[in-house]
């Protein structure tokens, strides 16, 4: 494994193999449910970019993709509760079947805001697909239609997830060493 990156990793929570089979299962379920519906996959940047790339390749029905960027975190590890749209969709979603693809559902603040915003644009339907669920930290209830794995209440990185924009390229989901945060705070 890439040693410069793995130096900062305390332990791996979810391996490549587990990620692969989880994503394949989600893709198979979506493919079954959306036959003939040509869904629009909406990914929330940046954290979900790797999950999105892997997920759409497991979807066997026609679909299109679009991206949004929102921010609620700044550089820290705790949500500020403020949601900002940094990049909106290019697609008109009126009448479309939309699937929002998220990396992790934490407080739910970002997602509940986003889902409300999308529903106001009169799509045919909106569902949520989240690779990871961290239920311990939920502040706002959000229905997850396609849930990958449940994770404990720890800050995790890798497979798209960052700490201060770093570690997105670590191929597994991992917990950082404590001293990494202490260096930055
Ligand atoms: P929420 O509004 O608190 O649910 O924020 C969700 C967003 O926060 C996710 O899309 C992630 O980008 C980020 N996030 C939440 N938990 C973690 C974590 O453990 N590691 C890295 N990013 C996280
Ligand atoms: Mg993020």
């Amino acid at each position: 494994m890439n040693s410069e990156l793995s130096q900062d990793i305390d332990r791996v929570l979810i391996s490549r193999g587990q990620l692969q089979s989880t994503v394949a299962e989600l893709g198979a379920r979506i493919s079954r449910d959306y036959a003939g519906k040509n869904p629009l996959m909406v990914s929330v940047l940046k954290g979900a970019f790797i999950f999105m790339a892997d997920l759409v390749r497991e979807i066997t029905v026609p679909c299109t993709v679009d991206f949004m960027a929102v921010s609620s975190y700044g550089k820290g590890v705790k949500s500020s509760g403020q949601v900002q749209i940094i990049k909106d969709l290019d697609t008109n979603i009126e009448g479309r079947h939309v699937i929002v693809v998220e990396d992790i559902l934490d407080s739910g603040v970002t997602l509940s805001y986003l889902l409300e915003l999308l529903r106001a644009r009169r799509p045919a339907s909106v569902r949520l697909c989240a690779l990871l669920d961290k239920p311990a930290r939920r502040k706002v209830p959000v229905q997850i239609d396609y849930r990958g794995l449940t994770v404990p209440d720890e800050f995790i990185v890798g497979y798209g997830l960052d700490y201060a924009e770093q570690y997105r390229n670590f191929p597994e989901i991992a917990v950082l060493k404590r001293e990494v945060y202490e260096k930055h705070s």
Side-chain angles (χ1 to χ4, degrees):
M1 184 63 253
N2 183 333
S3 60
E4 205 187 324
L5 264 185
S6 24
Q7 270 172 18
D8 290 349
I9 301 300
D10 178 48
R11 64 188 197 283
V12 169
L13 269 189
I14 308 170
S15 69
R16 277 179 198 248
Q18 275 175 290
L19 285 166
Q20 255 164 28
S21 58
T22 302
V23 175
E25 220 171 278
L26 292 170
R29 282 183 55 202
I30 290 171
S31 302
R32 276 198 300 276
D33 294 352
Y34 285 83
K37 290 188 170 164
N38 199 350
L40 169 66
M41 311 300 293
V42 170
S43 168
V44 185
L45 295 169
K46 303 171 196 165
F49 82 109
I50 293 179
F51 174 43
M52 176 76 149
D54 284 347
L55 179 66
V56 294
R57 284 177 287 182
E58 300 290 346
I59 293 177
T60 55
V61 299
C63 67
T64 59
V65 302
D66 203 347
F67 298 90
M68 273 184 101
V70 297
S71 169
S72 64
Y73 267 72
K75 284 196 174 127
V77 294
K78 289 235 172 80
S79 180
S80 62
Q82 301 273 91
V83 181
Q84 227 188 317
I85 294 197
I86 294 166
K87 186 218 169 289
D88 206 336
L89 296 174
D90 299 328
T91 315
N92 177 4
I93 65 170
E94 193 173 344
R96 294 292 304 271
H97 291 285
V98 175
I99 303 177
V100 175
V101 177
E102 248 292 40
D103 50 357
I104 183 166
L105 198 62
D106 189 46
S107 72
V109 172
T110 315
L111 250 291
S112 61
Y113 173 86
L114 196 76
L115 291 170
E116 207 176 298
L117 184 115
L118 294 177
R119 288 198 174 104
R121 297 179 182 177
R122 302 158 151 282
S125 68
V126 181
R127 280 187 183 170
L128 173 62
C129 175
L131 175 65
L132 305 170
D133 183 15
K134 206 194 271 182
R137 299 193 8 116
R138 198 65 34 81
K139 283 193 207 133
V140 184
V142 176
Q143 181 182 326
I144 307 178
D145 304 288
Y146 302 96
R147 176 192 286 105
L149 298 163
T150 299
V151 291
D153 187 8
E154 281 186 278
F155 194 79
I156 53 183
V157 298
Y159 198 71
L161 292 164
D162 72 305
Y163 171 61
E165 294 299 327
Q166 297 292 322
Y167 309 104
R168 292 194 196 275
N169 60 325
F170 193 71
E172 300 167 295
I173 299 280
V175 177
L176 288 175
K177 288 178 182 162
R178 189 181 286 267
E179 55 262 36
V180 176
Y181 305 115
E182 286 163 357
K183 256 196 318 220
H184 292 266
S185 59

